[in-house]
PDB file of all heavy atoms in Angstrom:
ATOM      1  N   ARG A   2     111.956  79.523 105.698  1.00 97.00           N
ATOM      2  CA  ARG A   2     113.248  79.050 106.172  1.00 97.00           C
ATOM      3  C   ARG A   2     113.096  78.121 107.365  1.00 97.00           C
ATOM      4  O   ARG A   2     112.130  78.201 108.124  1.00 97.00           O
ATOM      5  CB  ARG A   2     114.139  80.251 106.535  1.00 97.00           C
ATOM      6  CG  ARG A   2     114.466  81.143 105.317  1.00 97.00           C
ATOM      7  CD  ARG A   2     115.742  81.915 105.529  1.00 97.00           C
ATOM      8  NE  ARG A   2     115.536  83.035 106.426  1.00 97.00           N
ATOM      9  CZ  ARG A   2     116.515  83.888 106.763  1.00 97.00           C
ATOM     10  NH1 ARG A   2     117.726  83.729 106.274  1.00 97.00           N
ATOM     11  NH2 ARG A   2     116.274  84.893 107.587  1.00 97.00           N
ATOM     12  N   LYS A   3     114.041  77.240 107.570  1.00 98.00           N
ATOM     13  CA  LYS A   3     113.928  76.213 108.603  1.00 98.00           C
ATOM     14  C   LYS A   3     114.483  76.696 109.941  1.00 98.00           C
ATOM     15  O   LYS A   3     115.405  77.538 109.986  1.00 98.00           O
ATOM     16  CB  LYS A   3     114.700  74.963 108.193  1.00 98.00           C
ATOM     17  CG  LYS A   3     114.109  74.214 107.004  1.00 98.00           C
ATOM     18  CD  LYS A   3     114.974  73.019 106.640  1.00 98.00           C
ATOM     19  CE  LYS A   3     114.402  72.232 105.457  1.00 98.00           C
ATOM     20  NZ  LYS A   3     113.156  71.543 105.795  1.00 98.00           N
ATOM     21  N   ALA A   4     113.911  76.156 111.028  1.00 98.00           N
ATOM     22  CA  ALA A   4     114.386  76.493 112.371  1.00 98.00           C
ATOM     23  C   ALA A   4     114.309  75.254 113.260  1.00 98.00           C
ATOM     24  O   ALA A   4     113.400  74.439 113.122  1.00 98.00           O
ATOM     25  CB  ALA A   4     113.584  77.633 112.973  1.00 98.00           C
ATOM     26  N   VAL A   5     115.269  75.145 114.165  1.00 98.00           N
ATOM     27  CA  VAL A   5     115.298  74.068 115.170  1.00 98.00           C
ATOM     28  C   VAL A   5     115.265  74.694 116.555  1.00 98.00           C
ATOM     29  O   VAL A   5     116.052  75.598 116.849  1.00 98.00           O
ATOM     30  CB  VAL A   5     116.589  73.215 115.026  1.00 98.00           C
ATOM     31  CG1 VAL A   5     116.673  72.186 116.158  1.00 98.00           C
ATOM     32  CG2 VAL A   5     116.610  72.530 113.672  1.00 98.00           C
ATOM     33  N   LEU A   6     114.346  74.226 117.393  1.00 98.00           N
ATOM     34  CA  LEU A   6     114.271  74.676 118.788  1.00 98.00           C
ATOM     35  C   LEU A   6     114.511  73.471 119.668  1.00 98.00           C
ATOM     36  O   LEU A   6     113.707  72.550 119.712  1.00 98.00           O
ATOM     37  CB  LEU A   6     112.883  75.275 119.093  1.00 98.00           C
ATOM     38  CG  LEU A   6     112.613  75.638 120.572  1.00 98.00           C
ATOM     39  CD1 LEU A   6     113.636  76.658 121.086  1.00 98.00           C
ATOM     40  CD2 LEU A   6     111.194  76.178 120.738  1.00 98.00           C
ATOM     41  N   LEU A   7     115.649  73.454 120.341  1.00 98.00           N
ATOM     42  CA  LEU A   7     116.001  72.369 121.261  1.00 98.00           C
ATOM     43  C   LEU A   7     115.877  72.898 122.696  1.00 98.00           C
ATOM     44  O   LEU A   7     116.457  73.898 123.047  1.00 98.00           O
ATOM     45  CB  LEU A   7     117.434  71.890 121.018  1.00 98.00           C
ATOM     46  CG  LEU A   7     118.029  70.910 122.024  1.00 98.00           C
ATOM     47  CD1 LEU A   7     117.218  69.623 122.044  1.00 98.00           C
ATOM     48  CD2 LEU A   7     119.483  70.610 121.673  1.00 98.00           C
ATOM     49  N   GLY A   8     115.069  72.204 123.509  1.00 98.00           N
ATOM     50  CA  GLY A   8     114.836  72.629 124.888  1.00 98.00           C
ATOM     51  C   GLY A   8     115.471  71.677 125.879  1.00 98.00           C
ATOM     52  O   GLY A   8     115.348  70.467 125.753  1.00 98.00           O
ATOM     53  N   LEU A  93     104.116  78.028 117.927  1.00 98.00           N
ATOM     54  CA  LEU A  93     104.972  78.188 116.757  1.00 98.00           C
ATOM     55  C   LEU A  93     104.567  77.270 115.614  1.00 98.00           C
ATOM     56  O   LEU A  93     104.500  77.668 114.449  1.00 98.00           O
ATOM     57  CB  LEU A  93     106.447  77.891 117.147  1.00 98.00           C
ATOM     58  CG  LEU A  93     107.128  78.934 118.033  1.00 98.00           C
ATOM     59  CD1 LEU A  93     108.436  78.375 118.571  1.00 98.00           C
ATOM     60  CD2 LEU A  93     107.379  80.225 117.270  1.00 98.00           C
ATOM     61  N   ILE A 105     107.819  69.129 113.299  1.00 98.00           N
ATOM     62  CA  ILE A 105     107.989  67.952 114.158  1.00 98.00           C
ATOM     63  C   ILE A 105     108.149  68.503 115.589  1.00 98.00           C
ATOM     64  O   ILE A 105     109.000  69.336 115.848  1.00 98.00           O
ATOM     65  CB  ILE A 105     109.227  67.138 113.764  1.00 98.00           C
ATOM     66  CG1 ILE A 105     108.985  66.501 112.374  1.00 98.00           C
ATOM     67  CG2 ILE A 105     109.535  66.067 114.797  1.00 98.00           C
ATOM     68  CD1 ILE A 105     110.181  65.789 111.802  1.00 98.00           C
ATOM     69  N   MET A 185     114.206  63.732 112.438  1.00 97.00           N
ATOM     70  CA  MET A 185     114.841  64.840 111.737  1.00 97.00           C
ATOM     71  C   MET A 185     115.339  64.436 110.361  1.00 97.00           C
ATOM     72  O   MET A 185     115.299  65.173 109.392  1.00 97.00           O
ATOM     73  CB  MET A 185     116.005  65.379 112.583  1.00 97.00           C
ATOM     74  CG  MET A 185     116.722  66.578 111.967  1.00 97.00           C
ATOM     75  SD  MET A 185     118.044  67.251 113.002  1.00 97.00           S
ATOM     76  CE  MET A 185     117.148  68.383 114.058  1.00 97.00           C
ATOM     77  N   TRP A 190     110.173  68.527 107.398  1.00 98.00           N
ATOM     78  CA  TRP A 190     109.896  69.543 108.414  1.00 98.00           C
ATOM     79  C   TRP A 190     110.470  70.886 108.041  1.00 98.00           C
ATOM     80  O   TRP A 190     111.491  70.980 107.323  1.00 98.00           O
ATOM     81  CB  TRP A 190     110.436  69.120 109.787  1.00 98.00           C
ATOM     82  CG  TRP A 190     111.927  68.856 109.826  1.00 98.00           C
ATOM     83  CD1 TRP A 190     112.556  67.672 109.593  1.00 98.00           C
ATOM     84  CD2 TRP A 190     112.975  69.815 110.111  1.00 98.00           C
ATOM     85  NE1 TRP A 190     113.908  67.821 109.701  1.00 98.00           N
ATOM     86  CE2 TRP A 190     114.198  69.114 110.034  1.00 98.00           C
ATOM     87  CE3 TRP A 190     112.990  71.157 110.432  1.00 98.00           C
ATOM     88  CZ2 TRP A 190     115.432  69.746 110.240  1.00 98.00           C
ATOM     89  CZ3 TRP A 190     114.202  71.804 110.642  1.00 98.00           C
ATOM     90  CH2 TRP A 190     115.419  71.082 110.569  1.00 98.00           C
ATOM     91  N   ASP A 191     109.804  71.921 108.507  1.00 98.00           N
ATOM     92  CA  ASP A 191     110.324  73.278 108.444  1.00 98.00           C
ATOM     93  C   ASP A 191     110.710  73.782 109.845  1.00 98.00           C
ATOM     94  O   ASP A 191     111.677  74.511 110.014  1.00 98.00           O
ATOM     95  CB  ASP A 191     109.263  74.219 107.836  1.00 98.00           C
ATOM     96  CG  ASP A 191     108.902  73.795 106.440  1.00 98.00           C
ATOM     97  OD1 ASP A 191     109.702  74.037 105.517  1.00 98.00           O
ATOM     98  OD2 ASP A 191     107.810  73.211 106.267  1.00 98.00           O
ATOM     99  N   LEU A 192     109.905  73.322 110.815  1.00 98.00           N
ATOM    100  CA  LEU A 192     110.206  73.645 112.235  1.00 98.00           C
ATOM    101  C   LEU A 192     110.384  72.320 112.965  1.00 98.00           C
ATOM    102  O   LEU A 192     109.530  71.432 112.911  1.00 98.00           O
ATOM    103  CB  LEU A 192     109.045  74.426 112.868  1.00 98.00           C
ATOM    104  CG  LEU A 192     109.150  74.664 114.362  1.00 98.00           C
ATOM    105  CD1 LEU A 192     110.305  75.617 114.710  1.00 98.00           C
ATOM    106  CD2 LEU A 192     107.818  75.223 114.916  1.00 98.00           C
ATOM    107  N   PHE A 193     111.505  72.214 113.680  1.00 98.00           N
ATOM    108  CA  PHE A 193     111.788  71.007 114.469  1.00 98.00           C
ATOM    109  C   PHE A 193     111.922  71.416 115.927  1.00 98.00           C
ATOM    110  O   PHE A 193     112.753  72.281 116.267  1.00 98.00           O
ATOM    111  CB  PHE A 193     113.069  70.337 113.987  1.00 98.00           C
ATOM    112  CG  PHE A 193     113.350  69.022 114.631  1.00 98.00           C
ATOM    113  CD1 PHE A 193     112.940  67.833 114.033  1.00 98.00           C
ATOM    114  CD2 PHE A 193     114.008  68.964 115.855  1.00 98.00           C
ATOM    115  CE1 PHE A 193     113.189  66.607 114.648  1.00 98.00           C
ATOM    116  CE2 PHE A 193     114.245  67.741 116.471  1.00 98.00           C
ATOM    117  CZ  PHE A 193     113.852  66.561 115.863  1.00 98.00           C
ATOM    118  N   VAL A 194     111.105  70.816 116.789  1.00 98.00           N
ATOM    119  CA  VAL A 194     111.108  71.183 118.227  1.00 98.00           C
ATOM    120  C   VAL A 194     111.315  69.917 119.059  1.00 98.00           C
ATOM    121  O   VAL A 194     110.589  68.940 118.901  1.00 98.00           O
ATOM    122  CB  VAL A 194     109.768  71.850 118.621  1.00 98.00           C
ATOM    123  CG1 VAL A 194     109.775  72.174 120.126  1.00 98.00           C
ATOM    124  CG2 VAL A 194     109.514  73.098 117.801  1.00 98.00           C
ATOM    125  N   LEU A 195     112.278  69.953 119.958  1.00 98.00           N
ATOM    126  CA  LEU A 195     112.529  68.854 120.904  1.00 98.00           C
ATOM    127  C   LEU A 195     112.725  69.430 122.280  1.00 98.00           C
ATOM    128  O   LEU A 195     113.574  70.299 122.469  1.00 98.00           O
ATOM    129  CB  LEU A 195     113.774  68.072 120.465  1.00 98.00           C
ATOM    130  CG  LEU A 195     114.364  67.123 121.503  1.00 98.00           C
ATOM    131  CD1 LEU A 195     113.364  66.006 121.848  1.00 98.00           C
ATOM    132  CD2 LEU A 195     115.666  66.510 121.003  1.00 98.00           C
ATOM    133  N   LEU A 239     123.555  66.693 121.670  1.00 98.00           N
ATOM    134  CA  LEU A 239     123.533  68.010 121.020  1.00 98.00           C
ATOM    135  C   LEU A 239     124.436  67.975 119.762  1.00 98.00           C
ATOM    136  O   LEU A 239     124.034  68.428 118.683  1.00 98.00           O
ATOM    137  CB  LEU A 239     124.036  69.086 121.979  1.00 98.00           C
ATOM    138  CG  LEU A 239     124.396  70.437 121.355  1.00 98.00           C
ATOM    139  CD1 LEU A 239     123.148  71.119 120.763  1.00 98.00           C
ATOM    140  CD2 LEU A 239     125.063  71.356 122.396  1.00 98.00           C
ATOM    141  N   LEU A 242     122.826  66.040 116.903  1.00 97.00           N
ATOM    142  CA  LEU A 242     121.732  66.775 116.265  1.00 97.00           C
ATOM    143  C   LEU A 242     122.285  67.876 115.356  1.00 97.00           C
ATOM    144  O   LEU A 242     121.775  68.096 114.241  1.00 97.00           O
ATOM    145  CB  LEU A 242     120.809  67.394 117.330  1.00 97.00           C
ATOM    146  CG  LEU A 242     119.845  66.441 118.036  1.00 97.00           C
ATOM    147  CD1 LEU A 242     119.171  67.142 119.203  1.00 97.00           C
ATOM    148  CD2 LEU A 242     118.785  65.915 117.061  1.00 97.00           C
ATOM    149  N   LEU A 243     123.314  68.565 115.841  1.00 97.00           N
ATOM    150  CA  LEU A 243     123.892  69.645 115.025  1.00 97.00           C
ATOM    151  C   LEU A 243     124.487  69.093 113.732  1.00 97.00           C
ATOM    152  O   LEU A 243     124.459  69.765 112.698  1.00 97.00           O
ATOM    153  CB  LEU A 243     124.970  70.370 115.830  1.00 97.00           C
ATOM    154  CG  LEU A 243     124.481  71.274 116.973  1.00 97.00           C
ATOM    155  CD1 LEU A 243     125.657  71.741 117.828  1.00 97.00           C
ATOM    156  CD2 LEU A 243     123.680  72.448 116.453  1.00 97.00           C
ATOM    157  N   ILE A 245     123.403  66.641 111.871  1.00 97.00           N
ATOM    158  CA  ILE A 245     122.450  66.249 110.828  1.00 97.00           C
ATOM    159  C   ILE A 245     121.453  67.337 110.478  1.00 97.00           C
ATOM    160  O   ILE A 245     120.700  67.203 109.524  1.00 97.00           O
ATOM    161  CB  ILE A 245     121.686  64.984 111.250  1.00 97.00           C
ATOM    162  CG1 ILE A 245     120.884  65.220 112.527  1.00 97.00           C
ATOM    163  CG2 ILE A 245     122.619  63.811 111.437  1.00 97.00           C
ATOM    164  CD1 ILE A 245     120.001  64.043 112.914  1.00 97.00           C
ATOM    165  N   MET A 246     121.427  68.440 111.235  1.00 96.00           N
ATOM    166  CA  MET A 246     120.479  69.496 110.862  1.00 96.00           C
ATOM    167  C   MET A 246     121.015  70.294 109.670  1.00 96.00           C
ATOM    168  O   MET A 246     122.228  70.399 109.478  1.00 96.00           O
ATOM    169  CB  MET A 246     120.209  70.432 112.071  1.00 96.00           C
ATOM    170  CG  MET A 246     121.379  71.264 112.521  1.00 96.00           C
ATOM    171  SD  MET A 246     120.888  72.503 113.733  1.00 96.00           S
ATOM    172  CE  MET A 246     120.395  73.865 112.647  1.00 96.00           C
ATOM    173  N   PRO A 247     120.114  70.835 108.873  1.00 95.00           N
ATOM    174  CA  PRO A 247     120.544  71.588 107.697  1.00 95.00           C
ATOM    175  C   PRO A 247     121.376  72.830 108.079  1.00 95.00           C
ATOM    176  O   PRO A 247     121.086  73.473 109.068  1.00 95.00           O
ATOM    177  CB  PRO A 247     119.231  72.005 107.025  1.00 95.00           C
ATOM    178  CG  PRO A 247     118.201  71.085 107.581  1.00 95.00           C
ATOM    179  CD  PRO A 247     118.651  70.738 108.970  1.00 95.00           C
ATOM    180  N   GLU A 248     122.370  73.145 107.268  1.00 93.00           N
ATOM    181  CA  GLU A 248     123.236  74.285 107.594  1.00 93.00           C
ATOM    182  C   GLU A 248     122.537  75.614 107.450  1.00 93.00           C
ATOM    183  O   GLU A 248     122.952  76.607 108.041  1.00 93.00           O
ATOM    184  CB  GLU A 248     124.468  74.251 106.659  1.00 93.00           C
ATOM    185  CG  GLU A 248     125.415  73.100 106.948  1.00 93.00           C
ATOM    186  CD  GLU A 248     126.671  73.178 106.114  1.00 93.00           C
ATOM    187  OE1 GLU A 248     126.750  74.126 105.283  1.00 93.00           O
ATOM    188  OE2 GLU A 248     127.552  72.322 106.268  1.00 93.00           O
ATOM    189  N   ASP A 249     121.443  75.645 106.678  1.00 96.00           N
ATOM    190  CA  ASP A 249     120.748  76.903 106.463  1.00 96.00           C
ATOM    191  C   ASP A 249     119.629  77.119 107.483  1.00 96.00           C
ATOM    192  O   ASP A 249     118.812  78.043 107.347  1.00 96.00           O
ATOM    193  CB  ASP A 249     120.184  76.982 105.051  1.00 96.00           C
ATOM    194  CG  ASP A 249     119.181  75.887 104.762  1.00 96.00           C
ATOM    195  OD1 ASP A 249     119.060  74.951 105.567  1.00 96.00           O
ATOM    196  OD2 ASP A 249     118.502  75.965 103.706  1.00 96.00           O
ATOM    197  N   ALA A 250     119.578  76.291 108.526  1.00 97.00           N
ATOM    198  CA  ALA A 250     118.532  76.442 109.529  1.00 97.00           C
ATOM    199  C   ALA A 250     119.008  77.284 110.713  1.00 97.00           C
ATOM    200  O   ALA A 250     120.195  77.266 111.077  1.00 97.00           O
ATOM    201  CB  ALA A 250     118.082  75.067 110.029  1.00 97.00           C
ATOM    202  N   LEU A 251     118.082  78.005 111.321  1.00 97.00           N
ATOM    203  CA  LEU A 251     118.354  78.688 112.594  1.00 97.00           C
ATOM    204  C   LEU A 251     118.354  77.627 113.689  1.00 97.00           C
ATOM    205  O   LEU A 251     117.440  76.802 113.767  1.00 97.00           O
ATOM    206  CB  LEU A 251     117.267  79.738 112.871  1.00 97.00           C
ATOM    207  CG  LEU A 251     117.224  80.315 114.292  1.00 97.00           C
ATOM    208  CD1 LEU A 251     118.443  81.177 114.560  1.00 97.00           C
ATOM    209  CD2 LEU A 251     115.933  81.117 114.499  1.00 97.00           C
ATOM    210  N   PHE A 252     119.357  77.663 114.566  1.00 98.00           N
ATOM    211  CA  PHE A 252     119.385  76.752 115.698  1.00 98.00           C
ATOM    212  C   PHE A 252     119.195  77.550 116.987  1.00 98.00           C
ATOM    213  O   PHE A 252     119.945  78.510 117.228  1.00 98.00           O
ATOM    214  CB  PHE A 252     120.697  75.962 115.747  1.00 98.00           C
ATOM    215  CG  PHE A 252     120.767  75.044 116.917  1.00 98.00           C
ATOM    216  CD1 PHE A 252     120.053  73.842 116.925  1.00 98.00           C
ATOM    217  CD2 PHE A 252     121.521  75.346 118.047  1.00 98.00           C
ATOM    218  CE1 PHE A 252     120.097  72.989 118.003  1.00 98.00           C
ATOM    219  CE2 PHE A 252     121.570  74.498 119.130  1.00 98.00           C
ATOM    220  CZ  PHE A 252     120.860  73.313 119.107  1.00 98.00           C
ATOM    221  N   VAL A 253     118.242  77.135 117.801  1.00 98.00           N
ATOM    222  CA  VAL A 253     117.979  77.799 119.076  1.00 98.00           C
ATOM    223  C   VAL A 253     117.959  76.741 120.174  1.00 98.00           C
ATOM    224  O   VAL A 253     117.141  75.808 120.147  1.00 98.00           O
ATOM    225  CB  VAL A 253     116.619  78.536 119.072  1.00 98.00           C
ATOM    226  CG1 VAL A 253     116.423  79.268 120.408  1.00 98.00           C
ATOM    227  CG2 VAL A 253     116.552  79.531 117.921  1.00 98.00           C
ATOM    228  N   LEU A 254     118.840  76.868 121.139  1.00 98.00           N
ATOM    229  CA  LEU A 254     118.831  76.014 122.340  1.00 98.00           C
ATOM    230  C   LEU A 254     118.340  76.873 123.497  1.00 98.00           C
ATOM    231  O   LEU A 254     118.827  77.978 123.712  1.00 98.00           O
ATOM    232  CB  LEU A 254     120.252  75.492 122.635  1.00 98.00           C
ATOM    233  CG  LEU A 254     120.467  74.820 123.985  1.00 98.00           C
ATOM    234  CD1 LEU A 254     119.657  73.538 124.105  1.00 98.00           C
ATOM    235  CD2 LEU A 254     121.963  74.533 124.195  1.00 98.00           C
ATOM    236  N   THR A 255     117.392  76.339 124.262  1.00 98.00           N
ATOM    237  CA  THR A 255     116.840  77.134 125.364  1.00 98.00           C
ATOM    238  C   THR A 255     116.580  76.271 126.583  1.00 98.00           C
ATOM    239  O   THR A 255     116.506  75.050 126.500  1.00 98.00           O
ATOM    240  CB  THR A 255     115.468  77.760 124.980  1.00 98.00           C
ATOM    241  OG1 THR A 255     114.528  76.731 124.754  1.00 98.00           O
ATOM    242  CG2 THR A 255     115.576  78.667 123.782  1.00 98.00           C
ATOM    243  N   VAL A 415     120.807  79.796 123.410  1.00 98.00           N
ATOM    244  CA  VAL A 415     121.909  79.894 122.432  1.00 98.00           C
ATOM    245  C   VAL A 415     121.239  79.990 121.070  1.00 98.00           C
ATOM    246  O   VAL A 415     120.434  79.134 120.721  1.00 98.00           O
ATOM    247  CB  VAL A 415     122.832  78.651 122.467  1.00 98.00           C
ATOM    248  CG1 VAL A 415     123.968  78.820 121.466  1.00 98.00           C
ATOM    249  CG2 VAL A 415     123.377  78.397 123.859  1.00 98.00           C
ATOM    250  N   THR A 416     121.503  81.034 120.334  1.00 97.00           N
ATOM    251  CA  THR A 416     120.969  81.143 118.966  1.00 97.00           C
ATOM    252  C   THR A 416     122.125  81.227 117.976  1.00 97.00           C
ATOM    253  O   THR A 416     123.025  82.059 118.122  1.00 97.00           O
ATOM    254  CB  THR A 416     120.088  82.395 118.797  1.00 97.00           C
ATOM    255  OG1 THR A 416     120.828  83.554 119.143  1.00 97.00           O
ATOM    256  CG2 THR A 416     118.849  82.332 119.682  1.00 97.00           C
ATOM    257  N   ARG A 417     122.083  80.324 117.008  1.00 96.00           N
ATOM    258  CA  ARG A 417     123.084  80.371 115.949  1.00 96.00           C
ATOM    259  C   ARG A 417     122.374  80.537 114.611  1.00 96.00           C
ATOM    260  O   ARG A 417     121.598  79.664 114.190  1.00 96.00           O
ATOM    261  CB  ARG A 417     123.926  79.095 115.919  1.00 96.00           C
ATOM    262  CG  ARG A 417     125.107  79.185 114.912  1.00 96.00           C
ATOM    263  CD  ARG A 417     125.809  77.874 114.754  1.00 96.00           C
ATOM    264  NE  ARG A 417     124.991  76.902 114.032  1.00 96.00           N
ATOM    265  CZ  ARG A 417     125.368  75.653 113.785  1.00 96.00           C
ATOM    266  NH1 ARG A 417     126.506  75.234 114.225  1.00 96.00           N
ATOM    267  NH2 ARG A 417     124.547  74.817 113.146  1.00 96.00           N
ATOM    268  N   ILE A 434     111.840  84.394 122.358  1.00 98.00           N
ATOM    269  CA  ILE A 434     112.090  83.236 121.532  1.00 98.00           C
ATOM    270  C   ILE A 434     111.112  83.101 120.363  1.00 98.00           C
ATOM    271  O   ILE A 434     111.522  82.872 119.212  1.00 98.00           O
ATOM    272  CB  ILE A 434     112.094  81.947 122.382  1.00 98.00           C
ATOM    273  CG1 ILE A 434     113.190  82.049 123.465  1.00 98.00           C
ATOM    274  CG2 ILE A 434     112.308  80.699 121.516  1.00 98.00           C
ATOM    275  CD1 ILE A 434     114.577  82.225 122.948  1.00 98.00           C
ATOM    276  N   ILE A 438     112.126  83.132 116.245  1.00 98.00           N
ATOM    277  CA  ILE A 438     111.940  82.023 115.291  1.00 98.00           C
ATOM    278  C   ILE A 438     110.964  82.416 114.181  1.00 98.00           C
ATOM    279  O   ILE A 438     111.214  82.144 112.993  1.00 98.00           O
ATOM    280  CB  ILE A 438     111.426  80.782 116.070  1.00 98.00           C
ATOM    281  CG1 ILE A 438     112.566  80.279 116.998  1.00 98.00           C
ATOM    282  CG2 ILE A 438     110.975  79.683 115.102  1.00 98.00           C
ATOM    283  CD1 ILE A 438     112.139  79.147 117.895  1.00 98.00           C
ATOM    284  N   PHE A 441     112.688  84.805 111.699  1.00 97.00           N
ATOM    285  CA  PHE A 441     113.669  84.133 110.859  1.00 97.00           C
ATOM    286  C   PHE A 441     112.976  83.284 109.782  1.00 97.00           C
ATOM    287  O   PHE A 441     113.420  83.231 108.620  1.00 97.00           O
ATOM    288  CB  PHE A 441     114.584  83.234 111.697  1.00 97.00           C
ATOM    289  CG  PHE A 441     115.572  82.459 110.870  1.00 97.00           C
ATOM    290  CD1 PHE A 441     116.751  83.044 110.445  1.00 97.00           C
ATOM    291  CD2 PHE A 441     115.290  81.151 110.464  1.00 97.00           C
ATOM    292  CE1 PHE A 441     117.637  82.353 109.644  1.00 97.00           C
ATOM    293  CE2 PHE A 441     116.173  80.445 109.667  1.00 97.00           C
ATOM    294  CZ  PHE A 441     117.359  81.049 109.267  1.00 97.00           C
ATOM    295  N   MET A 442     111.905  82.605 110.150  1.00 97.00           N
ATOM    296  CA  MET A 442     111.212  81.730 109.203  1.00 97.00           C
ATOM    297  C   MET A 442     110.405  82.493 108.180  1.00 97.00           C
ATOM    298  O   MET A 442     109.858  81.915 107.220  1.00 97.00           O
ATOM    299  CB  MET A 442     110.305  80.743 109.963  1.00 97.00           C
ATOM    300  CG  MET A 442     111.076  79.806 110.878  1.00 97.00           C
ATOM    301  SD  MET A 442     110.026  78.565 111.667  1.00 97.00           S
ATOM    302  CE  MET A 442     109.766  77.406 110.293  1.00 97.00           C
TER     303      MET A 442
END
Side-chain angles (χ1 to χ4, degrees):
R2 296 204 284 181
K3 293 178 180 291
V5 174
L6 173 59
L7 172 60
L93 289 168
I105 292 174
M185 182 177 274
W190 58 271
D191 299 285
L192 173 68
F193 186 94
V194 179
L195 166 63
L239 166 65
L242 284 171
L243 288 171
I245 61 175
M246 67 171 273
E248 291 185 358
D249 61 349
L251 167 67
F252 178 76
V253 183
L254 168 65
T255 64
V415 182
T416 56
R417 187 188 70 182
I434 300 301
I438 293 174
F441 177 82
M442 297 185 77

